[in-house]
Amino acid sequence: MKIFHPVKDPTLLTVYIVASLVGSFLVLALMHKFLSLRAKGRFITALTFLAGFFYSLEFFLPAKNGKNFLTPWVEPVGDALAVIGAFAFPLGLVSLAIVHWGNIKRKREGWYFSLVLFIATIAMALSAFLSYYAHLSIAKKIYSCLFDGLYIPLGVAMMSTLAFYIVSAAYRAFRVTNVDAILMMGAAIIVMLGQIPFGMWLTSWLPMQGIVSSLRIENVSNWFMTVVNMSVQRAIGFGLAVGGIAMALRVWFSLERGMQMGGK
Amino acid sequence: MEHATTGVAILELSITGAILFSIFWARGGKEFFLRRIAAFSVIDEAIGRAVEMGRPILFCTGLSGLGVTFFQALAILSYVVRRAAEYGVRVIVPLFASEVYPLTEEVCKEAYRAAGKLEEYNPSDVFFLSNDQFAYASGVVGIMHRERTATHFFLGDFAAESLILAEEGHSVGAMQIAGTPATLQLPFFVAACDYTLIGEEYYAASAYISREPIIVGSIKGQDLGKIILLFLSLSGVIGVTLGGKMAIIFQNLFR
C-alpha cells in the first residue's frame, strides 16, 4: 500500500506541499488554541500507545506468507512517522543558524568558520537545486566539486584519524598495572599474533591435527574470539535486549515520568 | 517485516509479563533494592569538578535519534542540567539529529526551571550540530578544545566516532562518563573514559536517578527476564549436548 509515493508532476507536487503545510499548521494551531496542557499530554499518551499497539500487534499476529492484515499498513505508517519527524528538521537548521549568526554578530573567536558554514550551505543548496531542476552543467560541476571533492574527503580524513586514536587508546588499555591488565594484555597479544603470519610461524612446528593442534596460536586466538569474547558479548547483548524491552514498555505505557517525559 | 514465531511470541510475552508483573508489584508498595552503579554515583563529583574549574560540561548524545536510547540519555541530561544550573555551570549539548532538538531544548529549559534559575538558561547551549557522523565528531572535538570543557558525558548511540570523541576528551583532561547500548563501542569507552555504563546499566539510568518505585520495579522485571533467558540457555546447552530429539527441539525452538 503506497500512500506517500513520490510525485513527478511539479504542479501537483507544489499543490501537495502547500496543502500539507497549511493543513498541518492548521491542525497544530487548533490543538494549541483549544487543548489544555493536560489534554495535550493525554493526546500524546494515547497516540504513543496506539503506535506501539499497532507495531506489536502486527508483529505478534499470525502471518500467512509473511503477511497479516496489518502488514500492508506498516510502510504507510512508517512513512507518516518520517513525515512527522521531517517537521523538526527546519527547527534544527534554525538552531544552527542562530548559533552561528550569533558568532558572526559578536565577532567571537573563529567567527569566520561560522561565515564559511553559511556560504557552504547556500552554495551546496543552490548548486544541488540548479543541477537537479534546471540541469545546469556548471551547477553540476560545482556540486560535484563541493560534495565529491571536498565533503567526502573531509569525512574520510576525519575517519582516518581513528588509526592513531586506536594506538593511543590501546597503549593506555594495555599498561600493566594489575592482574586484570596482565590477563588482558596476554589475551590481546595472543589474538594479535593469531592474525599475522609471524604469529602463525611461531607455532608452525606444532601438528595441524590432534589435541596438540589446539595450542597453535591461530587456534588459541580463534578460541579467545569465538568462546571467551563471544560469550561475554552475548551476555551483554541479552542484558541490553531485556533492558530495551523494559524501557520500551515504560515509554509505551507512559510510565516514564521523569522530567524528560514531561514529569517533575 | 518479520513476524513472531510461536517460540518467539511465548518468550517475548513471558519477558514482557515478568516486567509488567514487577511494575505492578512495585506499584503495590513493594520496595526493591537497586545496586550501586559507579558511573551514576560519580555524576555529582563530575559536575563538582566543572564547578571547581569554572569550565562548562559537554553532554554528547552521539548519533541518537528519537528512540529508547535517546530517552535514557535525556533522563540523565535532565538531572545533569538541573544540578549544573544549581551551581551555575553551563552544559553544552550538541545534537546529531534535528528531530530531537525541540525535545532536548525543552528538557534543558525545564531543568533550569526546576533549579529555580530559568533566567540563566542560554538557548544557544543546546543546538543541532550536523547529521553527518564525522562532521558531528569534528564539531564536538572543536567544542572540547575551544570551550576547554571539564566534564564529558557520552550517552546514547555511538559508532566509529566514539573513540575520536573519547580520546580527544582525554587529551583535554576532562573527566569522562560514557554509556551506550552499542556493544562494539564499549571497549573504546572503557579504554578512554573514567567510568563506563556496561550493558543494561545504561537502561537503568532513569530508575537510578528518579528512584521512582514503578521504574525501579521494571528493573526488577529485567532481572526476571534475564533469569528466563539464563534458564533457556542452560536448557539449550544440556539439550543439544544430550543430542537426539531434545537437540532437534532446542535447535528449532525459535524458528
Side-chain angles (χ1 to χ4, degrees):
Chain A
M1 191 173 290
K2 281 210 177 284
I3 294 176
F4 297 95
H5 55 90
V7 178
K8 294 276 179 198
D9 181 15
T11 321
L12 201 60
L13 182 68
T14 316
V15 170
Y16 274 15
I17 291 172
V18 172
S20 337
L21 284 175
V22 170
S24 311
F25 283 117
L26 203 69
V27 170
L28 288 174
L30 285 173
M31 278 176 64
H32 188 65
K33 179 107 179 125
F34 295 110
L35 288 184
S36 65
L37 205 63
R38 203 171 188 181
K40 275 183 208 161
R42 281 185 183 158
F43 180 71
I44 293 167
T45 305
L47 217 60
T48 310
F49 179 78
L50 273 178
F53 191 61
F54 168 77
Y55 279 110
S56 48
L57 212 60
E58 199 279 328
F59 181 69
F60 284 116
L61 281 180
K64 228 178 203 176
N65 299 326
K67 280 184 178 179
N68 57 37
F69 78 99
L70 286 173
T71 310
W73 288 94
V74 169
E75 207 184 319
V77 171
D79 289 342
L81 294 176
V83 170
I84 294 168
F87 271 82
F89 186 68
L91 289 173
L93 280 182
V94 169
S95 142
L96 195 70
I98 288 172
V99 169
H100 287 277
W101 180 246
N103 289 347
I104 297 169
K105 210 173 154 187
R106 291 183 185 86
K107 287 265 165 69
R108 286 198 190 114
E109 196 187 342
W111 62 272
Y112 35 84
F113 292 124
S114 300
L115 191 66
V116 170
L117 175 103
F118 281 112
I119 294 167
T121 307
I122 293 165
M124 284 287 274
L126 262 181
S127 59
F129 273 110
L130 289 175
S131 89
Y132 188 80
Y133 290 108
H135 305 289
L136 284 178
S137 62
I138 182 81
K140 260 184 196 164
K141 276 180 189 163
I142 293 172
Y143 180 77
S144 166
C145 173
L146 286 173
F147 190 79
D148 301 325
L150 203 64
Y151 180 77
I152 291 179
L154 282 172
V156 174
M158 194 65 195
M159 190 179 180
S160 65
T161 58
L162 265 175
F164 304 100
Y165 291 125
I166 284 177
V167 175
S168 64
Y171 165 72
R172 262 182 293 120
F174 296 151
R175 265 184 308 187
V176 180
T177 48
N178 51 35
V179 181
D180 296 350
I182 293 170
L183 287 173
M184 197 172 140
M185 197 183 72
I189 287 171
I190 291 169
V191 170
M192 282 191 280
L193 284 175
Q195 309 294 317
I196 53 171
F198 173 72
M200 292 178 206
W201 172 79
L202 284 176
T203 52
S204 58
W205 50 275
L206 287 169
M208 291 286 274
Q209 254 121 38
I211 296 173
V212 188
S213 69
S214 312
L215 296 173
R216 287 175 71 99
I217 204 137
E218 63 270 27
N219 292 337
V220 179
S221 164
N222 189 43
W223 181 80
F224 267 115
M225 293 303 288
T226 55
V227 178
V228 183
N229 176 55
M230 192 52 76
S231 58
V232 175
Q233 291 269 5
R234 282 189 183 152
I236 294 174
F238 276 143
L240 276 168
V242 179
I245 293 174
M247 179 66 199
L249 280 173
R250 295 205 297 263
V251 174
W252 185 20
F253 293 117
S254 297
L255 293 170
E256 190 82 5
R257 301 309 304 168
M259 216 184 301
Q260 81 280 7
M261 303 297 281
K264 295 286 163 201
Chain B
M1 178 178 264
E2 285 178 31
H3 292 90
T5 58
T6 314
V8 169
I10 292 170
L11 178 65
E12 290 218 13
L13 291 174
S14 314
I15 294 171
T16 305
I19 294 166
L20 289 177
F21 168 74
S22 303
I23 288 173
F24 288 114
W25 197 7
R27 204 175 229 182
K30 173 75 182 168
E31 280 184 26
F32 293 114
F33 166 74
L34 207 59
R35 76 172 166 84
R36 184 182 166 274
I37 299 172
F40 290 134
S41 310
V42 295
I43 287 180
D44 284 334
E45 187 191 324
I47 297 167
R49 186 175 190 270
V51 175
E52 281 171 10
M53 295 174 86
R55 292 189 200 164
I57 294 168
L58 175 75
F59 197 104
C60 182
T61 55
L63 311 182
S64 307
L66 215 52
V68 287
T69 314
F70 181 72
F71 284 128
Q72 275 307 294
L74 271 190
I76 306 168
L77 174 69
S78 67
Y79 178 78
V80 169
V81 174
R82 184 160 62 83
R83 299 292 284 166
E86 284 166 7
Y87 294 109
V89 182
R90 281 171 67 206
V91 182
I92 302 169
V93 192
L95 297 166
F96 174 80
S98 57
E99 72 263 23
V100 300
Y101 167 71
L103 191 59
T104 314
E105 193 197 27
E106 198 55 40
V107 163
C108 292
K109 208 185 273 180
E110 203 51 52
Y112 267 87
R113 188 176 286 132
K117 295 197 172 177
L118 187 60
E119 68 286 352
E120 286 180 23
Y121 172 66
N122 181 2
S124 60
D125 280 342
V126 183
F127 52 91
F128 165 67
L129 192 60
S130 170
N131 59 359
D132 180 272
Q133 184 187 7
F134 289 106
Y136 177 78
S138 57
V140 173
V141 168
I143 292 166
M144 287 174 187
H145 284 276
R146 279 193 303 276
E147 303 279 351
R148 297 172 68 235
T149 40
T151 301
H152 298 160
F153 290 93
F154 299 118
L155 297 154
D157 283 317
F158 287 87
E161 77 290 347
S162 65
L163 189 61
I164 297 176
L165 299 177
E167 273 297 296
E168 278 294 337
H170 182 267
S171 75
V172 297
M175 180 175 177
Q176 306 197 103
I177 297 172
T180 178
T183 43
L184 283 176
Q185 307 307 321
L186 277 175
F188 298 133
F189 278 143
V190 170
C193 294
D194 300 284
Y195 295 92
T196 308
L197 293 164
I198 295 172
E200 78 268 26
E201 283 180 353
Y202 180 78
Y203 288 115
S206 52
Y208 200 89
I209 288 167
S210 70
R211 300 274 167 175
E212 181 104 11
I214 293 171
I215 306 177
V216 177
S218 77
I219 302 293
K220 181 73 184 173
Q222 273 176 238
D223 286 346
L224 293 177
K226 278 189 287 179
I227 291 170
I228 294 171
L229 285 174
L230 192 67
F231 173 75
L232 262 175
S233 304
L234 286 175
S235 313
V237 169
I238 295 167
V240 172
T241 310
L242 288 175
K245 267 190 178 174
M246 283 295 279
I248 294 165
I249 289 169
F250 274 102
Q251 278 164 350
N252 296 309
L253 203 56
F254 298 111
R255 280 184 189 160

